[in-house]
Amino acid sequence: MYKSYMVAFILFFSCFSVNSVADDLTEFDYPLLLGDWYWFSTTDDGIESEGESYRAMNIKFKSSYNFIIRLLRVDGSVDEWAGKYDVDETNIVFSSEGQLEQNHNYMLTYNQFILDGARFTKLAPENLPGEWRSSKISGRDVAEGISELSISLRPDFLFSAEVSNNEGKKKEHRGIYYLEDDHIVLIYEGGQQDSQFLLGSDTLTLSNTQFGMEAVMQRE
């Protein structure tokens, strides 16, 4: 019985993955880079660069190798530019039309990005982190024995997910998650799973349109 439950657990997680967009996203070589990164000055006077003083900086990296950079000046105005980036294990190159390429050294963890010594922190959507428990699981490929799914999403991009069956057996995964647009990807030992998500004030809906899967989660 426990062996069949384990199979059901694997099937459940596999159903929240695999469409053309998801395949591209999960195969991206530097997944931890994706998302919104923020640097904030520790003083009201900001940090001076090339004659301008800046209070904050936001870099958004996409799996299409596009980037957007926004710089908040101390006077409240915002500088913005966009373009393409190229990246390897230690260097990142920003290319933007009409500007010289910029080559920078970087270091990366799941929630910290150090660019030429400046430390950036990745931020998730305000209402996403928290404890979530399923109120409804539906879809033609959901194993009948699965009764509940719970997910803990931490602000630092660590997660734990637990699936329960009707007999009270449980299976847990822990790992790292990252986001792009309406996709959330869970990376854990032995695999990764991509779901589309819809976020409300107290609800989180995970779905896969290819398989007709949907799990409606309530905030605990």
mmCIF file of all heavy atoms in Angstrom, residues 87-125:
data_model
loop_
_atom_site.group_PDB
_atom_site.id
_atom_site.type_symbol
_atom_site.label_atom_id
_atom_site.label_comp_id
_atom_site.label_asym_id
_atom_site.label_seq_id
_atom_site.Cartn_x
_atom_site.Cartn_y
_atom_site.Cartn_z
ATOM 1 N N VAL A 87 25.660 35.350 -19.546
ATOM 2 C CA VAL A 87 26.123 35.007 -18.204
ATOM 3 C C VAL A 87 26.872 33.684 -18.230
ATOM 4 O O VAL A 87 26.556 32.780 -19.011
ATOM 5 C CB VAL A 87 24.916 34.941 -17.233
ATOM 6 C CG1 VAL A 87 23.935 33.852 -17.637
ATOM 7 C CG2 VAL A 87 25.358 34.764 -15.798
ATOM 8 N N ASP A 88 27.919 33.585 -17.394
ATOM 9 C CA ASP A 88 28.556 32.306 -17.109
ATOM 10 C C ASP A 88 28.659 32.179 -15.598
ATOM 11 O O ASP A 88 27.955 32.863 -14.862
ATOM 12 C CB ASP A 88 29.906 32.175 -17.826
ATOM 13 C CG ASP A 88 30.927 33.225 -17.410
ATOM 14 O OD1 ASP A 88 30.798 33.791 -16.291
ATOM 15 O OD2 ASP A 88 31.873 33.485 -18.177
ATOM 16 N N GLU A 89 29.536 31.331 -15.099
ATOM 17 C CA GLU A 89 29.575 31.059 -13.666
ATOM 18 C C GLU A 89 30.052 32.245 -12.834
ATOM 19 O O GLU A 89 29.738 32.340 -11.641
ATOM 20 C CB GLU A 89 30.491 29.854 -13.389
ATOM 21 C CG GLU A 89 30.015 28.557 -14.010
ATOM 22 C CD GLU A 89 28.725 28.064 -13.394
ATOM 23 O OE1 GLU A 89 28.407 28.472 -12.261
ATOM 24 O OE2 GLU A 89 28.025 27.262 -14.042
ATOM 25 N N THR A 90 30.806 33.168 -13.414
ATOM 26 C CA THR A 90 31.387 34.257 -12.627
ATOM 27 C C THR A 90 31.163 35.644 -13.217
ATOM 28 O O THR A 90 31.398 36.638 -12.533
ATOM 29 C CB THR A 90 32.906 34.054 -12.459
ATOM 30 O OG1 THR A 90 33.519 33.978 -13.764
ATOM 31 C CG2 THR A 90 33.201 32.781 -11.680
ATOM 32 N N ASN A 91 30.742 35.730 -14.481
ATOM 33 C CA ASN A 91 30.626 37.031 -15.145
ATOM 34 C C ASN A 91 29.256 37.179 -15.804
ATOM 35 O O ASN A 91 28.672 36.203 -16.288
ATOM 36 C CB ASN A 91 31.708 37.197 -16.212
ATOM 37 C CG ASN A 91 33.098 37.302 -15.630
ATOM 38 O OD1 ASN A 91 33.497 38.363 -15.162
ATOM 39 N ND2 ASN A 91 33.828 36.204 -15.635
ATOM 40 N N ILE A 92 28.789 38.430 -15.839
ATOM 41 C CA ILE A 92 27.548 38.746 -16.522
ATOM 42 C C ILE A 92 27.775 39.994 -17.368
ATOM 43 O O ILE A 92 28.430 40.943 -16.934
ATOM 44 C CB ILE A 92 26.385 38.946 -15.527
ATOM 45 C CG1 ILE A 92 25.059 39.099 -16.263
ATOM 46 C CG2 ILE A 92 26.628 40.100 -14.575
ATOM 47 C CD1 ILE A 92 23.850 38.926 -15.369
ATOM 48 N N VAL A 93 27.288 39.947 -18.609
ATOM 49 C CA VAL A 93 27.483 41.045 -19.561
ATOM 50 C C VAL A 93 26.116 41.614 -19.917
ATOM 51 O O VAL A 93 25.225 40.884 -20.361
ATOM 52 C CB VAL A 93 28.215 40.576 -20.830
ATOM 53 C CG1 VAL A 93 28.373 41.742 -21.803
ATOM 54 C CG2 VAL A 93 29.574 39.982 -20.476
ATOM 55 N N PHE A 94 25.952 42.929 -19.730
ATOM 56 C CA PHE A 94 24.731 43.629 -20.098
ATOM 57 C C PHE A 94 24.935 44.327 -21.438
ATOM 58 O O PHE A 94 25.907 45.072 -21.614
ATOM 59 C CB PHE A 94 24.359 44.672 -19.047
ATOM 60 C CG PHE A 94 24.032 44.090 -17.702
ATOM 61 C CD1 PHE A 94 24.948 44.149 -16.661
ATOM 62 C CD2 PHE A 94 22.806 43.489 -17.467
ATOM 63 C CE1 PHE A 94 24.655 43.626 -15.417
ATOM 64 C CE2 PHE A 94 22.491 42.960 -16.230
ATOM 65 C CZ PHE A 94 23.413 43.034 -15.199
ATOM 66 N N SER A 95 24.025 44.086 -22.378
ATOM 67 C CA SER A 95 24.085 44.727 -23.691
ATOM 68 C C SER A 95 22.778 45.474 -23.914
ATOM 69 O O SER A 95 21.697 44.900 -23.807
ATOM 70 C CB SER A 95 24.271 43.689 -24.807
ATOM 71 O OG SER A 95 25.451 42.939 -24.609
ATOM 72 N N SER A 96 22.899 46.751 -24.227
ATOM 73 C CA SER A 96 21.723 47.586 -24.449
ATOM 74 C C SER A 96 21.965 48.459 -25.665
ATOM 75 O O SER A 96 23.080 48.967 -25.871
ATOM 76 C CB SER A 96 21.452 48.462 -23.218
ATOM 77 O OG SER A 96 20.238 49.149 -23.339
ATOM 78 N N GLU A 97 20.946 48.623 -26.485
ATOM 79 C CA GLU A 97 21.083 49.384 -27.727
ATOM 80 C C GLU A 97 21.558 50.806 -27.446
ATOM 81 O O GLU A 97 21.024 51.502 -26.587
ATOM 82 C CB GLU A 97 19.746 49.423 -28.461
ATOM 83 C CG GLU A 97 19.819 50.071 -29.840
ATOM 84 C CD GLU A 97 18.505 50.003 -30.587
ATOM 85 O OE1 GLU A 97 17.565 49.335 -30.094
ATOM 86 O OE2 GLU A 97 18.413 50.600 -31.668
ATOM 87 N N GLY A 98 22.603 51.213 -28.164
ATOM 88 C CA GLY A 98 23.120 52.568 -28.017
ATOM 89 C C GLY A 98 24.087 52.743 -26.874
ATOM 90 O O GLY A 98 24.537 53.868 -26.633
ATOM 91 N N GLN A 99 24.415 51.650 -26.140
ATOM 92 C CA GLN A 99 25.339 51.754 -25.021
ATOM 93 C C GLN A 99 26.432 50.702 -25.147
ATOM 94 O O GLN A 99 26.250 49.664 -25.788
ATOM 95 C CB GLN A 99 24.606 51.573 -23.690
ATOM 96 C CG GLN A 99 23.540 52.619 -23.416
ATOM 97 C CD GLN A 99 22.991 52.514 -22.011
ATOM 98 O OE1 GLN A 99 23.639 51.979 -21.107
ATOM 99 N NE2 GLN A 99 21.783 53.029 -21.810
ATOM 100 N N LEU A 100 27.569 50.986 -24.517
ATOM 101 C CA LEU A 100 28.663 50.021 -24.495
ATOM 102 C C LEU A 100 28.296 48.836 -23.609
ATOM 103 O O LEU A 100 27.555 48.980 -22.633
ATOM 104 C CB LEU A 100 29.940 50.687 -23.971
ATOM 105 C CG LEU A 100 30.532 51.818 -24.824
ATOM 106 C CD1 LEU A 100 31.721 52.443 -24.110
ATOM 107 C CD2 LEU A 100 30.946 51.304 -26.201
ATOM 108 N N GLU A 101 28.790 47.654 -23.970
ATOM 109 C CA GLU A 101 28.578 46.489 -23.126
ATOM 110 C C GLU A 101 29.210 46.708 -21.751
ATOM 111 O O GLU A 101 30.275 47.309 -21.633
ATOM 112 C CB GLU A 101 29.190 45.235 -23.763
ATOM 113 C CG GLU A 101 28.416 44.681 -24.929
ATOM 114 C CD GLU A 101 28.947 43.339 -25.381
ATOM 115 O OE1 GLU A 101 30.037 42.935 -24.912
ATOM 116 O OE2 GLU A 101 28.275 42.702 -26.212
ATOM 117 N N GLN A 102 28.530 46.211 -20.727
ATOM 118 C CA GLN A 102 29.047 46.283 -19.371
ATOM 119 C C GLN A 102 29.308 44.875 -18.865
ATOM 120 O O GLN A 102 28.404 44.045 -18.848
ATOM 121 C CB GLN A 102 28.049 46.996 -18.451
ATOM 122 C CG GLN A 102 27.806 48.447 -18.815
ATOM 123 C CD GLN A 102 26.945 49.132 -17.768
ATOM 124 O OE1 GLN A 102 26.923 48.741 -16.605
ATOM 125 N NE2 GLN A 102 26.232 50.169 -18.183
ATOM 126 N N ASN A 103 30.557 44.622 -18.456
ATOM 127 C CA ASN A 103 30.972 43.310 -17.970
ATOM 128 C C ASN A 103 31.190 43.392 -16.465
ATOM 129 O O ASN A 103 31.964 44.228 -15.989
ATOM 130 C CB ASN A 103 32.263 42.873 -18.672
ATOM 131 C CG ASN A 103 32.558 41.406 -18.464
ATOM 132 O OD1 ASN A 103 32.232 40.840 -17.424
ATOM 133 N ND2 ASN A 103 33.182 40.781 -19.443
ATOM 134 N N HIS A 104 30.496 42.540 -15.706
ATOM 135 C CA HIS A 104 30.564 42.586 -14.249
ATOM 136 C C HIS A 104 30.841 41.202 -13.678
ATOM 137 O O HIS A 104 30.386 40.184 -14.217
ATOM 138 C CB HIS A 104 29.239 43.095 -13.660
ATOM 139 C CG HIS A 104 28.858 44.468 -14.116
ATOM 140 N ND1 HIS A 104 29.255 45.609 -13.454
ATOM 141 C CD2 HIS A 104 28.115 44.878 -15.177
ATOM 142 C CE1 HIS A 104 28.765 46.673 -14.076
ATOM 143 N NE2 HIS A 104 28.078 46.249 -15.127
ATOM 144 N N ASN A 105 31.557 41.170 -12.560
ATOM 145 C CA ASN A 105 31.713 39.948 -11.781
ATOM 146 C C ASN A 105 30.518 39.786 -10.855
ATOM 147 O O ASN A 105 29.955 40.766 -10.371
ATOM 148 C CB ASN A 105 32.997 40.000 -10.944
ATOM 149 C CG ASN A 105 34.242 40.057 -11.803
ATOM 150 O OD1 ASN A 105 34.329 39.393 -12.826
ATOM 151 N ND2 ASN A 105 35.209 40.855 -11.388
ATOM 152 N N TYR A 106 30.123 38.537 -10.592
ATOM 153 C CA TYR A 106 29.002 38.336 -9.684
ATOM 154 C C TYR A 106 29.180 37.040 -8.906
ATOM 155 O O TYR A 106 29.940 36.146 -9.283
ATOM 156 C CB TYR A 106 27.677 38.302 -10.458
ATOM 157 C CG TYR A 106 27.368 36.983 -11.128
ATOM 158 C CD1 TYR A 106 26.571 36.021 -10.492
ATOM 159 C CD2 TYR A 106 27.881 36.676 -12.395
ATOM 160 C CE1 TYR A 106 26.300 34.810 -11.109
ATOM 161 C CE2 TYR A 106 27.610 35.465 -12.996
ATOM 162 C CZ TYR A 106 26.823 34.534 -12.355
ATOM 163 O OH TYR A 106 26.559 33.330 -12.957
ATOM 164 N N MET A 107 28.450 36.953 -7.805
ATOM 165 C CA MET A 107 28.298 35.731 -7.015
ATOM 166 C C MET A 107 26.810 35.547 -6.770
ATOM 167 O O MET A 107 26.071 36.524 -6.618
ATOM 168 C CB MET A 107 29.074 35.815 -5.698
ATOM 169 C CG MET A 107 30.580 35.936 -5.856
ATOM 170 S SD MET A 107 31.437 36.103 -4.255
ATOM 171 C CE MET A 107 31.006 34.538 -3.480
ATOM 172 N N LEU A 108 26.358 34.282 -6.687
ATOM 173 C CA LEU A 108 24.925 34.027 -6.635
ATOM 174 C C LEU A 108 24.608 32.889 -5.677
ATOM 175 O O LEU A 108 25.272 31.855 -5.676
ATOM 176 C CB LEU A 108 24.418 33.658 -8.038
ATOM 177 C CG LEU A 108 22.937 33.334 -8.204
ATOM 178 C CD1 LEU A 108 22.078 34.568 -7.973
ATOM 179 C CD2 LEU A 108 22.680 32.768 -9.604
ATOM 180 N N THR A 109 23.591 33.107 -4.831
ATOM 181 C CA THR A 109 22.964 32.031 -4.075
ATOM 182 C C THR A 109 21.475 32.078 -4.399
ATOM 183 O O THR A 109 21.039 32.861 -5.245
ATOM 184 C CB THR A 109 23.172 32.192 -2.556
ATOM 185 O OG1 THR A 109 22.424 33.318 -2.079
ATOM 186 C CG2 THR A 109 24.644 32.380 -2.231
ATOM 187 N N TYR A 110 20.677 31.253 -3.715
ATOM 188 C CA TYR A 110 19.255 31.208 -4.042
ATOM 189 C C TYR A 110 18.518 32.499 -3.709
ATOM 190 O O TYR A 110 17.449 32.759 -4.243
ATOM 191 C CB TYR A 110 18.577 30.024 -3.342
ATOM 192 C CG TYR A 110 18.664 30.050 -1.834
ATOM 193 C CD1 TYR A 110 17.692 30.684 -1.076
ATOM 194 C CD2 TYR A 110 19.714 29.420 -1.176
ATOM 195 C CE1 TYR A 110 17.767 30.702 0.304
ATOM 196 C CE2 TYR A 110 19.801 29.426 0.199
ATOM 197 C CZ TYR A 110 18.824 30.074 0.940
ATOM 198 O OH TYR A 110 18.902 30.083 2.307
ATOM 199 N N ASN A 111 19.100 33.345 -2.814
ATOM 200 C CA ASN A 111 18.407 34.599 -2.500
ATOM 201 C C ASN A 111 19.344 35.791 -2.335
ATOM 202 O O ASN A 111 18.929 36.854 -1.871
ATOM 203 C CB ASN A 111 17.547 34.441 -1.244
ATOM 204 C CG ASN A 111 18.383 34.299 0.020
ATOM 205 O OD1 ASN A 111 19.575 33.972 -0.039
ATOM 206 N ND2 ASN A 111 17.765 34.524 1.161
ATOM 207 N N GLN A 112 20.610 35.629 -2.719
ATOM 208 C CA GLN A 112 21.568 36.730 -2.672
ATOM 209 C C GLN A 112 22.330 36.801 -3.997
ATOM 210 O O GLN A 112 22.741 35.783 -4.538
ATOM 211 C CB GLN A 112 22.564 36.553 -1.519
ATOM 212 C CG GLN A 112 21.939 36.593 -0.136
ATOM 213 C CD GLN A 112 21.501 37.992 0.254
ATOM 214 O OE1 GLN A 112 22.222 38.960 0.055
ATOM 215 N NE2 GLN A 112 20.297 38.098 0.819
ATOM 216 N N PHE A 113 22.496 38.041 -4.481
ATOM 217 C CA PHE A 113 23.185 38.287 -5.745
ATOM 218 C C PHE A 113 24.159 39.431 -5.494
ATOM 219 O O PHE A 113 23.745 40.553 -5.164
ATOM 220 C CB PHE A 113 22.159 38.667 -6.823
ATOM 221 C CG PHE A 113 22.740 39.064 -8.149
ATOM 222 C CD1 PHE A 113 23.537 38.200 -8.880
ATOM 223 C CD2 PHE A 113 22.449 40.318 -8.693
ATOM 224 C CE1 PHE A 113 24.047 38.571 -10.109
ATOM 225 C CE2 PHE A 113 22.952 40.699 -9.926
ATOM 226 C CZ PHE A 113 23.755 39.822 -10.640
ATOM 227 N N ILE A 114 25.455 39.144 -5.588
ATOM 228 C CA ILE A 114 26.485 40.158 -5.331
ATOM 229 C C ILE A 114 27.088 40.552 -6.668
ATOM 230 O O ILE A 114 27.721 39.734 -7.340
ATOM 231 C CB ILE A 114 27.555 39.634 -4.368
ATOM 232 C CG1 ILE A 114 26.901 39.213 -3.045
ATOM 233 C CG2 ILE A 114 28.619 40.704 -4.122
ATOM 234 C CD1 ILE A 114 27.859 38.568 -2.069
ATOM 235 N N LEU A 115 26.891 41.802 -7.043
ATOM 236 C CA LEU A 115 27.341 42.325 -8.333
ATOM 237 C C LEU A 115 28.412 43.377 -8.085
ATOM 238 O O LEU A 115 28.128 44.454 -7.552
ATOM 239 C CB LEU A 115 26.163 42.939 -9.095
ATOM 240 C CG LEU A 115 26.421 43.428 -10.516
ATOM 241 C CD1 LEU A 115 26.704 42.253 -11.445
ATOM 242 C CD2 LEU A 115 25.226 44.236 -11.022
ATOM 243 N N ASP A 116 29.655 43.039 -8.440
ATOM 244 C CA ASP A 116 30.782 43.956 -8.195
ATOM 245 C C ASP A 116 30.794 44.470 -6.762
ATOM 246 O O ASP A 116 31.038 45.651 -6.500
ATOM 247 C CB ASP A 116 30.729 45.144 -9.166
ATOM 248 C CG ASP A 116 31.063 44.746 -10.592
ATOM 249 O OD1 ASP A 116 31.632 43.665 -10.788
ATOM 250 O OD2 ASP A 116 30.732 45.518 -11.506
ATOM 251 N N GLY A 117 30.498 43.606 -5.809
ATOM 252 C CA GLY A 117 30.530 43.964 -4.397
ATOM 253 C C GLY A 117 29.227 44.502 -3.839
ATOM 254 O O GLY A 117 29.079 44.590 -2.619
ATOM 255 N N ALA A 118 28.281 44.877 -4.684
ATOM 256 C CA ALA A 118 26.981 45.365 -4.214
ATOM 257 C C ALA A 118 26.053 44.172 -3.996
ATOM 258 O O ALA A 118 25.882 43.339 -4.886
ATOM 259 C CB ALA A 118 26.374 46.333 -5.223
ATOM 260 N N ARG A 119 25.446 44.097 -2.819
ATOM 261 C CA ARG A 119 24.621 42.946 -2.449
ATOM 262 C C ARG A 119 23.146 43.226 -2.757
ATOM 263 O O ARG A 119 22.548 44.163 -2.239
ATOM 264 C CB ARG A 119 24.793 42.630 -0.969
ATOM 265 C CG ARG A 119 24.065 41.358 -0.517
ATOM 266 C CD ARG A 119 24.298 41.113 0.968
ATOM 267 N NE ARG A 119 25.702 40.918 1.251
ATOM 268 C CZ ARG A 119 26.321 39.738 1.198
ATOM 269 N NH1 ARG A 119 25.627 38.649 0.860
ATOM 270 N NH2 ARG A 119 27.602 39.635 1.472
ATOM 271 N N PHE A 120 22.557 42.365 -3.579
ATOM 272 C CA PHE A 120 21.141 42.435 -3.928
ATOM 273 C C PHE A 120 20.397 41.279 -3.257
ATOM 274 O O PHE A 120 20.933 40.182 -3.117
ATOM 275 C CB PHE A 120 20.938 42.330 -5.441
ATOM 276 C CG PHE A 120 21.428 43.510 -6.227
ATOM 277 C CD1 PHE A 120 22.792 43.724 -6.413
ATOM 278 C CD2 PHE A 120 20.533 44.403 -6.793
ATOM 279 C CE1 PHE A 120 23.249 44.810 -7.152
ATOM 280 C CE2 PHE A 120 20.975 45.491 -7.536
ATOM 281 C CZ PHE A 120 22.339 45.693 -7.716
ATOM 282 N N THR A 121 19.144 41.533 -2.893
ATOM 283 C CA THR A 121 18.281 40.521 -2.309
ATOM 284 C C THR A 121 17.084 40.291 -3.217
ATOM 285 O O THR A 121 16.496 41.250 -3.721
ATOM 286 C CB THR A 121 17.790 40.953 -0.913
ATOM 287 O OG1 THR A 121 18.923 41.135 -0.055
ATOM 288 C CG2 THR A 121 16.880 39.894 -0.304
ATOM 289 N N LYS A 122 16.719 39.025 -3.424
ATOM 290 C CA LYS A 122 15.552 38.705 -4.242
ATOM 291 C C LYS A 122 14.292 38.834 -3.392
ATOM 292 O O LYS A 122 14.251 38.366 -2.249
ATOM 293 C CB LYS A 122 15.664 37.291 -4.805
ATOM 294 C CG LYS A 122 14.555 36.933 -5.798
ATOM 295 C CD LYS A 122 14.631 35.478 -6.224
ATOM 296 C CE LYS A 122 15.802 35.206 -7.140
ATOM 297 N NZ LYS A 122 15.757 33.838 -7.725
ATOM 298 N N LEU A 123 13.257 39.445 -3.957
ATOM 299 C CA LEU A 123 11.993 39.617 -3.259
ATOM 300 C C LEU A 123 10.873 38.910 -4.010
ATOM 301 O O LEU A 123 10.786 38.990 -5.235
ATOM 302 C CB LEU A 123 11.645 41.101 -3.103
ATOM 303 C CG LEU A 123 12.614 41.945 -2.267
ATOM 304 C CD1 LEU A 123 12.108 43.384 -2.162
ATOM 305 C CD2 LEU A 123 12.810 41.355 -0.876
ATOM 306 N N ALA A 124 10.024 38.233 -3.265
ATOM 307 C CA ALA A 124 8.850 37.555 -3.820
ATOM 308 C C ALA A 124 7.651 38.495 -3.760
ATOM 309 O O ALA A 124 7.663 39.487 -3.034
ATOM 310 C CB ALA A 124 8.560 36.286 -3.024
ATOM 311 N N PRO A 125 6.583 38.207 -4.522
ATOM 312 C CA PRO A 125 5.350 38.986 -4.388
ATOM 313 C C PRO A 125 4.900 39.021 -2.933
ATOM 314 O O PRO A 125 4.999 38.028 -2.209
ATOM 315 C CB PRO A 125 4.341 38.223 -5.261
ATOM 316 C CG PRO A 125 5.187 37.540 -6.283
ATOM 317 C CD PRO A 125 6.467 37.176 -5.577
#
